[in-house]
Amino acid sequence: MKFTKMQGIGNDYVYINCFEESVEDPAELSKKVSDRHFGIGSDGLILICPSKVADCRMRMFNADGSESPMCGNGIRCVGKYVFDHHLVEKTEFDVETAAGIKHLKVTEEDGKAVLLTVDMGIPEVTSQVSEPICVNGTDYEFIGISMGNPHAVYYMDDIDSLDLEAIGPGFEHHKRFPERTNSEFIQVVSPEHIRMRVWERGSGETWACGTGATASAVASALCGRTGNTVKVSLKGGNLTIHWDREGSGHVFMTGPAVEVFAGELDINNL
């Protein structure tokens, strides 16, 4: 089976072109290819599929095999793949996801996509602003935002000192979130800039999360910590998030996507 390894600011996935390939059990395949010792190594698996309602369809699986409806960094990489490999022949197109159809706009150089802007849709507030919660015996406050998948945004004075490997599972599996949640830990630098670490449900700490950055930008604007346009700095790089709060209500995410390498996978030996 042919595959492509891609990353969006360090959020790395294995991509399968299902216009040409067929995957019988993507959940199990995701667990195997994500293993960084016995597989390829990734935060999960993304399938690029034909669609009856858009230019292509994306299915995203976490490293533990669970399927998520949306992935912000992943969809930028899908956009780069279909543009660079001529599955679409235009700089604006639509991608079907389980969280709805997302519109993408490509910034190209020498015929390759280098930056992609994604219309992430209208955010949904799923908590109080802010809501108290006790995790691992410590009191916090969070703002819940859905971007088609669930997020809980927490504000900290120093995110670098957090031991996410130790505390992350407690946030993900808290009883307040019966379907688990992605957790974003935010340090506000200025009204135009925030820093973020993320614990993703099903994958643990990752270098970036596009939907998480979007949710965090919306939460920060809602509680008056930032304006409606903000740079979000993650372990793997920066994203620009703009919330058209007074207009359409949609949120737009702009960032890079990179094809790292391509190869062939012997799935019988995984």
Side-chain angles (χ1 to χ4, degrees):
M1 177 180 291
K2 294 180 180 179
F3 72 90
T4 303
K5 177 75 177 287
M6 304 184 76
Q7 58 91 3
I9 59 171
N11 199 191
D12 60 332
Y13 290 90
V14 173
Y15 292 78
I16 305 292
N17 178 359
C18 291
F19 284 79
E20 299 177 355
E21 302 281 356
S22 177
V23 180
E24 293 184 2
D25 188 350
E28 186 63 26
L29 182 62
S30 182
K31 290 188 286 186
K32 290 180 177 179
V33 300
S34 299
D35 192 294
R36 298 185 185 274
H37 299 286
F38 296 99
I40 297 167
S42 67
D43 291 327
L45 173 73
I46 291 180
L47 308 183
I48 304 171
C49 309
S51 171
K52 294 181 180 180
V53 295
D55 294 284
C56 65
R57 177 185 176 213
M58 176 182 99
R59 293 186 69 192
M60 177 267 190
F61 296 83
N62 297 304
D64 68 352
S66 60
E67 185 169 6
S68 290
M70 177 58 184
C71 174
N73 291 310
I75 199 171
R76 291 201 318 278
C77 290
V78 169
K80 176 177 175 59
Y81 185 95
V82 298
F83 182 83
D84 289 3
H85 292 266
H86 306 289
L87 295 178
V88 300
E89 299 288 350
K90 48 192 175 182
T91 56
E92 293 194 37
F93 51 89
D94 294 327
V95 178
E96 179 188 359
T97 77
I101 296 174
K102 306 300 181 184
H103 186 74
L104 277 67
K105 183 176 181 179
V106 169
T107 300
E108 63 172 307
E109 291 181 6
D110 300 323
K112 301 288 187 181
V114 292
L115 284 175
L116 296 99
T117 297
V118 184
D119 181 347
M120 301 290 284
I122 298 175
E124 177 188 357
V125 182
T126 58
S127 74
Q128 304 171 31
V129 183
S130 300
E131 182 174 319
I133 190 172
C134 182
V135 183
N136 302 324
T138 301
D139 292 327
Y140 300 92
E141 290 186 346
F142 76 97
I143 300 175
I145 302 289
S146 173
M147 294 305 309
N149 57 354
H151 296 272
V153 180
Y154 303 84
Y155 292 92
M156 309 279 180
D157 293 329
D158 177 19
I159 61 172
D160 294 323
S161 64
L162 296 175
D163 185 356
L164 288 193
E165 289 295 324
I167 68 174
F171 286 88
E172 177 182 354
H173 296 278
H174 193 278
K175 63 181 181 181
R176 170 64 174 79
F177 312 109
E179 295 182 355
R180 299 183 296 162
T181 192
N182 302 287
S183 303
E184 284 76 35
F185 303 93
I186 304 301
Q187 184 173 336
V188 178
V189 179
S190 74
E192 296 80 31
H193 183 199
I194 61 176
R195 298 179 61 232
M196 168 181 148
R197 290 177 68 186
V198 58
W199 182 269
E200 292 197 56
R201 63 174 182 174
S203 292
E205 184 175 16
T206 61
W207 279 45
C209 176
T211 55
T214 305
S216 298
V218 169
S220 299
L222 275 176
C223 64
R225 297 174 184 264
T226 69
N228 295 328
T229 300
V230 65
K231 178 174 75 172
V232 184
S233 295
L234 306 101
K235 290 183 73 173
N238 299 319
L239 295 172
T240 299
I241 309 296
H242 171 66
W243 185 15
D244 186 17
R245 190 175 183 180
E246 306 303 326
S248 66
H250 288 230
V251 191
F252 299 86
M253 173 191 63
T254 300
V258 177
E259 183 172 321
V260 182
F261 62 87
E264 291 189 0
L265 180 68
D266 184 353
I267 60 174
N268 295 320
N269 286 329
L270 283 179

